[in-house]
Each structure stands twice: as C-alpha cells, then as structure tokens.
Amino acid sequence: MQESSVIAAGPPSPWSERWRVWRNWLGSLRFALVNLLLLFAGVWVVYLELPGALWALVLPLASSALNLLVAIAVNGAFRRQLPLLAFHLALLAIVVLVALGRLTYLRGAVEIVDGGEFDGVLTTRDAGPWHAGRLAEVRFANLGFAIDYDPGLRRGQTRNEVAYRDADGAVVRTTIGDQTPLRLLGYRFYTSFNKGFAPSFVWHPAGGGEPAFGAVHLPSYPLNEYEQARDWEIPGTGIPIWTMLRFDEIVLDPDKTDQFKLPGRHDVVVRIGEQRWEMRPGMAVDLPAGRLQYVGVRGWMGYSVFYDWTVPWLLAAAVTAVLALGWHYWRKFAARPWNQAKDDGLSA
C-alpha cells in the first residue's frame, strides 16, 4: 500500500499565532481608526501650541505609516490590483513625508535694512529637531523695496530687489515679493507686511579703531505710525540710547493710491540718560567713549523664511495617489458588455 504523500500540518506554535493576531491588528481598519483619532488630537495640540506639539503629530503619523505598511503586506487584494497597490504606496509616502517634514522644517523671520546683508542668522526661528539645513551659508543683500498702497492704506504689491552670488560666484540681481520668493539652498525668503524706517548711525570709538555702522529698526510702519521710537545700545559699549524719528509730512496718504517712501525732511531725537539731542543727517554728538554720528534714515524689510524639502515630493505622491485611485475606479465602474463572449461572436 502506497503511503500518503500528504503530511498533516501540526497546530501553529504560540509565537506564530501571537504574531498573526498582532499582524492582523496592525493592518486592520480598527488600528487605522485609532490612528486617525490620535492624529486629530495631535492637530489640536499643535493648534493650541501646547508643549510636545511636534511629537503629538509625528507619532500618530508614524503609527499610521506602520498601519499602511502592514496592510499592504498582508492584504493580497492590494498586490493583485496594481492601481490599489499604487494608491496605498502613494498614501504611505504622503504619511511618511508629512512626518519627516515636521521633523526637518524651518520657519523664521529676519529684518534687513536697505543696503544690508543677511548673515545667516534669523531674528525668530522655529525648526524641527532634525533640521540640518545650510542656513548659515546663505547670503544675500537687500537693495531696496517699493510697496504700492490703495486708498485706505490697503497694502498692494511689494517689489524687493535683492542680490546674491550664484554657484559660479557671479552676482545675480532679482526681484522678490510676498508670493515670489528668493530660493537659496532650499530656503525661501518672502517679503512680509513687516517693514519700516531705520535711523542709521556711525560710531567712532574714542580710542580709535574701525568705525561701526548700525541701523535702529523702528516699529513697523504704518502699523505703528505714532510709536516711531525704540531703545537700543551702541554696539560694543553697553551705552543705552533712546531714539525717536520725527517728521511732519504725510508719508502714506490714506485717501489716495500711494507708495511707501522714506520721510524727506526729518530729525531724530536721541536721549542718553538725562541728555537729549535733536539730530539731522550729518550731525554728531561727542560722548566720553566716542562720537555718534547720525547718517540718515533708511528702510528695513521683514522677511519670512520657509524650508521644507518634502513639499515637491508630497505633490508628486499626491498626484500619484489621485491618478491611481482614478485608475482603480475607472476599471471598477467602466461600462462593459454584460456578456463579453456573446458580443465578441464567440458564443455558439
């Protein structure tokens, strides 16, 4: 009698059974629902700017990526249907990219006076813990700006000329604005509503040495029209100074179309302790530590800075997901003859 070639399978081991249960749970819709709820809570934590906001968003995204990865691995329907497989892989890429974007992004702001240069340092900075960009290498100069205003002081287009050196060392001049950024080493610099006047001084130390140029960025104009004053210190001396810009002309006329411009005839009031001076361009005051000369008023522009390398990849993944899902539903609902063999004339 021939022995049977079929060997009865034994009962699954406890470990394999335990893994099967976990695998099915990790790839289940119930786990997906849990992740969605955690992600919703994370969005609220970010919105309320609570401590730990970053990880409140990143951890549910990582968990969702695991859910999708396991679902793709264990669900045979995904592998048999290419459109569904492409859709879920694109969805997985989107979730992973969003999480990486939160870990590596940078948002910031900086103010640069006309004729000044960005030195790689931001005034305000908010970055993910894995941000490792090359902001310290970024350099460009603010060559001046123009801003259109409609009646009612409604800000229109901003045109800011800037200059930088390209990879070959050549100077490149271009114009940027609120919607047209300057792109350098992956960073985007946009002009913002934040801008104003900057009384400029030159400090000549009493003991000799190189004169130091500085500009005092007064509060944003016209938002703070009647608060054009600021405390500051002469660089390297620790001497506190209060400076106020005074002018009588209408710099921005709210009743007509106008353009941002610097005040013509003006002076600055400078106070150091109990002493007070009214200075026009070219005037100087002598102090025990040196001479402070008022040069004139310039404009300063506030830039918003943005860095997120995942944006173009997110766009590509989103387009892929949409096309794959469209492909899937086109195949599923496209009209077909109810009896293909008969219509082809193959039936008897």
Side-chain angles (χ1 to χ4, degrees):
M1 183 176 180
Q2 186 178 3
E3 293 183 359
S4 172
S5 60
V6 178
I7 301 175
S13 68
W15 282 106
S16 62
E17 181 62 19
R18 204 168 293 148
W19 162 243
R20 187 187 65 80
V21 172
W22 272 105
R23 183 192 62 190
N24 291 339
W25 163 252
L26 291 174
S28 67
L29 289 175
R30 287 173 296 172
F31 189 40
L33 179 60
V34 170
N35 288 324
L36 285 176
L37 293 175
L38 291 174
L39 192 58
F40 179 77
V43 171
W44 267 105
V45 171
V46 172
Y47 177 76
L48 298 175
E49 299 181 351
L50 299 176
L54 173 68
W55 295 108
L57 200 59
V58 170
L59 291 179
L61 287 171
S63 183
S64 298
L66 176 64
N67 173 236
L68 275 170
L69 189 63
V70 175
I72 293 171
V74 302
N75 196 327
F78 294 162
R79 294 191 296 274
R80 290 190 298 270
Q81 302 183 57
L82 184 58
L84 272 184
L85 178 62
F87 170 73
H88 283 85
L89 287 176
L91 199 59
L92 174 62
I94 290 173
V95 173
V96 171
L97 285 169
V98 170
L100 289 176
R102 293 300 303 173
L103 290 169
T104 59
Y105 79 99
L106 179 141
R107 285 192 180 88
V110 64
E111 299 173 359
I112 304 176
V113 69
D114 290 351
E117 182 180 280
F118 176 63
D119 59 1
V121 179
L122 298 176
T123 308
T124 61
R125 174 190 173 105
D126 178 24
W130 292 358
H131 177 72
R134 299 165 59 189
L135 184 64
E137 302 174 27
V138 176
R139 294 290 184 278
F140 72 91
N142 171 17
L143 303 182
F145 60 90
I147 306 174
D148 299 329
Y149 276 86
D150 294 327
L153 295 181
R154 291 194 296 272
R155 189 169 66 95
Q157 187 179 16
T158 297
R159 299 174 299 281
N160 183 192
E161 189 176 7
V162 297
Y164 64 94
R165 292 189 181 276
D166 62 15
D168 299 325
V171 176
V172 179
R173 300 167 73 108
T174 187
T175 301
I176 65 174
D178 289 2
Q179 306 298 328
T180 307
L182 170 66
R183 294 182 173 88
L184 293 175
L185 298 180
Y187 295 91
R188 299 183 179 198
F189 292 79
Y190 297 87
T191 57
S192 72
F193 71 91
N194 202 22
K195 78 287 180 190
F197 305 128
S200 304
F201 298 86
V202 175
W203 172 249
H204 302 272
E210 290 292 326
F213 173 84
V216 184
H217 294 193
L218 297 178
S220 182
Y221 190 91
L223 182 63
N224 302 284
E225 182 177 2
Y226 302 108
E227 301 175 11
Q228 293 300 296
R230 174 149 290 172
D231 293 312
W232 58 289
E233 288 186 354
I234 298 176
T237 66
I239 299 175
I241 289 184
W242 179 84
T243 298
M244 181 178 69
L245 177 65
R246 297 193 309 188
F247 52 91
D248 294 329
E249 68 180 279
I250 299 176
V251 174
L252 281 173
D253 192 337
D255 297 326
K256 66 178 185 180
T257 300
D258 207 344
Q259 194 172 76
F260 183 90
K261 55 185 175 294
L262 301 178
R265 184 175 177 80
H266 70 277
D267 61 17
V268 294
V269 178
V270 174
R271 281 204 318 242
I272 303 177
E274 299 299 325
Q275 294 181 293
R276 180 181 184 277
W277 299 270
E278 297 178 3
M279 304 177 69
R280 294 186 182 279
M283 295 177 64
V285 296
D286 291 316
L287 304 172
R291 165 175 282 198
L292 182 67
Q293 181 180 15
Y294 176 54
V295 177
V297 66
R298 301 186 182 189
W300 63 264
M301 172 55 69
Y303 299 89
S304 58
V305 187
F306 178 72
Y307 174 93
D308 189 346
W309 63 271
T310 65
V311 171
W313 296 103
L314 275 171
L315 177 62
V319 171
T320 302
V322 170
L323 293 177
L325 198 59
W327 183 15
H328 168 70
Y329 281 109
W330 178 78
R331 289 181 52 183
K332 188 172 184 179
F333 297 112
R336 294 190 181 89
W338 69 276
N339 189 336
Q340 182 71 48
K342 184 176 180 179
D343 287 0
D344 290 346
L346 300 178
S347 57

